[in-house]
């Protein structure tokens, strides 16, 4: 059965234009074509990239974050509580009010303290600022390397300047070593992202990230097997162009260099919109849909690759709308809108209010920085003008 499935999957009608069979794709000493088994090399290469990343983050990115003033916020830890920890791990990380009441009865704790415990426990699971900084540094380094590698590899290739050359002689286009290694670099990187997903910064679109990585791996692998190498290299270098500006935007955001971050985001937005909404449709979509028809008649692989590329373009349009919305808000308000993908730390204002209530019960004098009515509360409210301030900051009764 497996053999029958294998023979059905690799029918030349699926993969090759009309009139071309697998016998026409025979290799020689000087001519080599892409082979599906070559893709297996990306797995060990991905593991090597994971090792390089760990060494890079520990030896370069982490010390750099300290020198640039990236500091992790001190977070109060949740006290050990087996009942609450079991519910947090097995049931829900953000319980409803009825569940909070039930848990407070089980633990013999006030509802407010149970709510505070869950808030602290969720904050403990959130990645630190230094971790985000190190991850952004690694991705920025890779995107810079991959983008310029793509430019170096494609600079002397005719299809970079004349897009009709993508189809000259197709599918009998020999695989050049530089193109092979460029493909392995990109594919290995996305496999490495899959391997490190459980340890990377988990944003609100975590599930979408998994789908994105899987789709990217599938697209790269399919273009390699079907010998769409020339189109594939154009797609990869176009996508890397905007990513080179996205990651440094995050880095400067973590450093709290707001003006630099805003400027880089505007540059990223311009590069993204031009590369994904102008260059990509003309260089890739129009190329595969129209120019390829000058060389061969449509077949299954032609329709399939065009469908995948159109889906990719729809994703470009979706993300472009979000970016345009953020740019519009920035122009009107003069400040960058928060990234909807980010998972910000929960505020401890409720916790501070809890402390204030406890101090009131114990009769401790304190200053409230959340009210502006000119009162200092001490076992109730007392007008400010009935007291005098001493030079050392203490309060004395008149």
């Amino acid at each position: 059965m497996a053999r029958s499935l294998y023979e059905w999957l690799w029918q030349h009608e699926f993969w090759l234009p009309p009139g071309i069979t697998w016998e026409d794709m025979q290799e020689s000493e000087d001519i080599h074509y892409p082979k599906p088994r070559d893709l297996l090399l990306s797995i060990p290469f991905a593991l090597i990239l994971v090792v390089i990343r760990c060494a890079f983050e520990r030896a370069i990115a982490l010390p750099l974050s300290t020198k640039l003033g990236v500091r992790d916020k001190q977070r109060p830890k949740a006290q050990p509580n087996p009942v609450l920890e079991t519910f947090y791990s097995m049931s829900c990380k953000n319980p409803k009010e009825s569940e909070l009441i039930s848990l407070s009865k089980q633990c013999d704790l006030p509802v407010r303290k149970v709510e505070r415990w869950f808030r602290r426990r969720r904050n403990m699971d959130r990645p630190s600022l230094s971790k985000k900084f190190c991850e952004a540094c690694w991705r920025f380094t890779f995107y810079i390397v991959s983008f310029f590698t793509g430019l170096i590899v494609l600079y002397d290739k005719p299809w970079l300047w004349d897009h009709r050359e993508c189809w000259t002689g197709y599918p009998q286009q020999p695989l050049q070593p530089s193109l092979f290694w460029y493909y392995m670099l990109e594919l290995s990187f996305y496999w490495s992202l899959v391997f490190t997903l459980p340890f990377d910064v988990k944003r609100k679109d975590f599930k979408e990230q998994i789908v994105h990585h899987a789709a990217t791996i599938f697209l790269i692998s399919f273009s390699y097997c079907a010998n769409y190498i020339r189109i594939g290299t154009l797609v990869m270098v176009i996508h890397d162009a905007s990513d080179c500006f996205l990651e440094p935007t995050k880095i400067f955001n973590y450093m709290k260099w707001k003006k630099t971050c805003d400027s880089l985001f505007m540059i990223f937005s311009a590069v993204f919109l031009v590369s994904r909404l102008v260059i990509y449709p003309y260089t890739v979509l129009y190329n595969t849909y129209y120019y390829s028809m000058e060389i061969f008649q449509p077949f299954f692989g032609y329709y399939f690759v065009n469908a995948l590329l159109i889906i990719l373009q729809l994703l470009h349009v979706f993300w472009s709308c979000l970016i345009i919305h953020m740019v519009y808000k920035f122009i009107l308000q003069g400040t960058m809108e928060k990234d909807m993908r980010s998972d910000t730390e929960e505020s401890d204002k409720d916790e501070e209010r809890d402390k204030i209530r406890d101090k009131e019960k114990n009769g401790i004098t304190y200053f409230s920085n959340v009210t502006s009515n000119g009162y200092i509360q001490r076992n109730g409210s007392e007008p400010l003008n009935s007291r005098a301030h001493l030079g050392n900051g203490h309060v004395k009764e008149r």
Side-chain angles (χ1 to χ4, degrees), residues 3 34 50 62 72 77 115 148 174 183 200 232 235 241 244 298 300 320 322 335 340 359 373 379 384:
R3 182 176 180 83
V50 172
L62 191 57
D72 294 332
K77 295 183 179 180
E115 185 179 5
F148 283 100
Y183 252 76
D200 286 344
V235 173
C244 291
F300 175 81
S320 296
L322 296 180
T335 182
M340 289 180 293
K359 289 181 179 180
N373 55 6
N379 296 329
L384 183 63

Side-chain angles (χ1 to χ4, degrees), residues 116-297:
R116 180 193 306 170
W117 187 95
F118 277 95
R119 183 169 58 250
R120 290 182 172 182
R121 185 66 180 84
R122 288 192 295 269
N123 284 337
M124 288 172 60
D125 282 349
R126 289 184 171 87
S128 63
L129 200 61
S130 59
K131 179 177 176 61
K132 294 179 180 180
F133 180 90
C134 292
E135 181 177 314
C137 283
W138 165 249
R139 297 198 182 199
F140 171 63
T141 302
F142 176 83
Y143 288 133
I144 284 290
V145 171
S146 63
F147 176 66
F148 283 100
T149 298
L151 291 181
I152 293 171
V153 168
L154 296 177
Y155 179 76
D156 59 345
K157 302 300 187 293
W159 63 86
L160 180 64
W161 313 105
D162 183 3
H163 305 320
R164 284 185 171 86
E165 289 293 327
C166 287
W167 309 107
T168 300
Y170 180 84
Q172 296 168 311
Q173 296 172 339
L175 176 63
Q176 301 178 22
S178 59
L179 300 179
F180 169 79
W181 288 112
Y182 181 44
Y183 252 76
M184 286 298 107
L185 177 66
E186 292 279 353
L187 185 58
S188 300
F189 174 71
Y190 283 101
W191 271 120
S192 71
L193 293 183
V194 172
F195 296 157
T196 58
L197 266 177
F199 314 103
D200 286 344
V201 175
K202 291 181 176 61
R203 303 183 185 273
K204 293 180 180 178
D205 60 350
F206 177 73
K207 294 180 180 179
E208 289 79 0
Q209 285 185 8
I210 297 177
V211 175
H212 172 267
H213 296 338
T216 303
I217 291 172
F218 177 77
L219 283 168
I220 295 176
S221 302
F222 173 79
S223 65
Y224 185 86
C225 294
N227 203 15
Y228 289 111
I229 299 293
R230 298 183 178 184
I231 283 293
T233 54
L234 294 178
V235 173
M236 290 188 295
V237 77
I238 289 173
H239 282 71
D240 287 342
S242 59
D243 291 333
C244 291
F245 294 96
L246 176 60
E247 298 305 325
T249 303
K250 297 178 183 178
I251 291 173
F252 284 107
N253 180 46
Y254 302 145
M255 293 168 55
K256 301 188 185 304
W257 290 22
K258 181 172 175 54
K259 292 184 178 180
T260 306
C261 173
D262 291 347
S263 300
L264 279 174
F265 182 80
M266 297 301 291
I267 296 174
F268 159 74
S269 301
V271 174
F272 185 95
L273 296 176
V274 171
S275 62
R276 307 293 179 92
L277 300 184
V278 179
I279 298 177
Y280 176 84
Y282 174 71
T283 304
V284 177
L285 291 182
Y286 186 74
N287 191 2
T288 55
Y289 178 78
Y290 181 75
Y291 287 156
S292 61
M293 298 290 289
E294 298 177 354
I295 307 298
F296 54 80
Q297 295 298 315

Side-chain angles (χ1 to χ4, degrees), residues 330-380:
F330 175 74
I331 294 174
L332 289 183
Q333 301 176 0
T335 182
M336 192 62 62
E337 191 179 54
K338 183 181 71 174
D339 184 2
M340 289 180 293
R341 298 172 59 234
S342 62
D343 189 12
T344 55
E345 188 167 339
E346 294 180 69
S347 172
D348 283 335
K349 290 182 180 179
D350 293 336
E351 187 170 331
E352 293 298 326
R353 282 194 287 267
D354 294 343
K355 291 180 180 179
I356 290 174
R357 294 192 188 100
D358 293 339
K359 289 181 179 180
E360 284 181 327
K361 292 178 181 179
N362 296 330
I364 300 176
T365 303
Y366 67 96
F367 290 91
S368 175
N369 58 2
V370 295
T371 59
S372 58
N373 55 6
Y375 283 82
I376 300 175
Q377 298 183 0
R378 181 184 180 184
N379 296 329

